[in-house]
Amino acid sequence: MRLSFAQPSILAFAVFLAVGLPPGAASAGDAAPEPINTGKTGLAIGCYDPVAYFTEREPMEGDFTVSSTHHGAQYWFVSEEHKAMFDANPDHYAPQYGGYCAFGAAIAKKFNGDPLVWAVIDDKLYLNINEYVAEKLNDDQAGFIEKADAKWPEIKNVPADEIE
């Protein structure tokens, strides 16, 4: 697992806001249905390429001109090759629990998953809210994932702000 607290490129996000989405992509007004965590931008995992976690073993900012939409959320990629890999098997590359924090899912909460605090466990991508929580998950990966898998169906379609 690689933990980092760097912020997404402000320039990339500014370009995204100025230029808009590529043709055929979901817009921020086409908010993704639950359970994908897209915030207000319509982007899953911020601007990070989901395939890079598997191939490069690190988060990499994608390019807004190389994108795909899956379950109403837009994903950006560093290359056409990564886009093709995602398009062939999006559920494999998309983060678990819709990109919400894995530890949060284990306790029936929806915390924003930080794309820079991540782990690939058993060939699945998990995000966490912060480094402290990620370390807690690491103490018992199998146990927390089992709990999250059991709790997720109960909360996946409930908006995060409605979960007590």
Side-chain angles (χ1 to χ4, degrees):
M1 174 173 63
R2 182 178 179 100
L3 301 175
S4 173
F5 293 102
Q7 294 298 313
S9 166
I10 293 174
L11 178 60
F13 193 66
V15 169
F16 165 67
L17 291 176
V19 176
L21 300 172
S27 72
D30 298 329
E34 291 289 341
I36 308 298
N37 183 9
T38 61
K40 295 178 182 177
T41 65
L43 290 172
I45 321 177
C47 60
Y48 288 87
D49 177 339
V51 177
Y53 294 95
F54 296 88
T55 60
E56 310 303 319
R57 294 298 204 200
E58 67 178 318
M60 297 178 72
E61 292 180 9
D63 181 334
F64 74 94
T65 64
V66 185
S67 66
S68 286
T69 302
H70 178 62
H71 293 305
Q74 187 182 44
Y75 294 84
W76 292 0
F77 305 94
V78 298
S79 68
E80 289 291 339
E81 178 184 6
H82 280 198
K83 178 186 180 323
M85 291 170 70
F86 181 85
D87 289 345
N89 193 359
D91 290 327
H92 171 75
Y93 294 105
Q96 300 300 295
Y97 318 121
Y100 289 98
C101 173
F103 184 91
I107 60 170
K109 301 288 184 188
K110 282 185 172 176
F111 304 134
N112 285 325
D114 183 337
L116 299 173
V117 183
W118 61 280
V120 172
I121 303 168
D122 295 330
D123 211 29
K124 294 180 181 179
L125 176 60
Y126 297 90
L127 304 180
N128 279 289
I129 192 169
N130 60 39
E131 184 177 350
Y132 173 78
V133 167
E135 298 211 10
K136 288 292 183 193
L137 178 100
N138 278 338
D139 290 343
D140 181 15
Q141 289 179 346
F144 279 109
I145 291 169
E146 183 178 328
K147 288 176 188 172
D149 287 349
K151 294 285 185 183
W152 184 244
E154 298 171 18
I155 65 169
K156 73 178 182 178
N157 293 313
V158 179
D161 61 355
E162 292 181 17
I163 297 174
E164 295 181 17

